[in-house]
Amino acid sequence: MLTLSWTRPVVGAAQEGCPTPTRESLWQALLHKAEFPTGYVPAITDCRINERYADGFLREIRRGELTFVQRVTPQEGAGRITYRHLDDTDIAEIRNEIGEDEDGRLTLTLSITLTDGPAAAVLAQNTYLRDLDCDFHGTLDAMTEVLREVMTTGADQGP
């Protein structure tokens, strides 16, 4: 799978000097966005919550002519809300995550993870991304092999 992400400061340059939002106020706003996305996401024209769970809810959204079912899981401690698509779509999941920039200002990161088909198409069309993907797949394979060895033999033994 391929993940793309975009990060922006929550307070823009035009808002400098205004009261600074807190992590808690941003979290509450993200929870509100999860339940009432039409006021936040221009492409979403309708939203209905179908079920609620102890750790989130199931929602149905309308985006253009398409309807999607998403399992929404807020994780306050991580400052993250995950939207997992449960139907056949190009996107496996979307994440909204609170962070901080190098100056300690709040940021919001929007990430999407593509399903295997679209990810393969993107990699097939872009040599740079394909080479990067191949390099990091190899790196991850090597890392996990050493991690498995360290976990079974003990960290102080080393590879």
Side-chain angles (χ1 to χ4, degrees), residues 23-31 74-76 79-81:
R23 188 176 185 88
E24 176 60 26
S25 65
L26 177 54
W27 177 251
Q28 291 303 317
L30 284 176
L31 288 175
Q75 297 170 290
E76 185 173 7
R80 177 176 51 241
I81 300 178

Side-chain angles (χ1 to χ4, degrees), residues 77-119:
R80 177 176 51 241
I81 300 178
T82 303
Y83 304 83
R84 285 190 181 78
H85 283 252
L86 303 180
D87 40 21
D88 188 27
T89 178
D90 290 349
I91 298 174
E93 73 177 31
I94 299 169
R95 287 183 308 281
N96 294 170
E97 191 162 1
I98 298 171
E100 289 185 5
D101 67 11
E102 58 278 355
D103 296 321
R105 295 176 296 198
L106 290 173
T107 60
L108 177 62
T109 297
L110 169 64
S111 301
I112 62 169
T113 300
L114 300 176
T115 56
D116 289 336

Side-chain angles (χ1 to χ4, degrees), residues 8-19 21 105-106:
R8 299 285 183 275
V10 175
V11 176
Q15 298 169 308
E16 294 292 334
C18 295
R105 295 176 296 198
L106 290 173

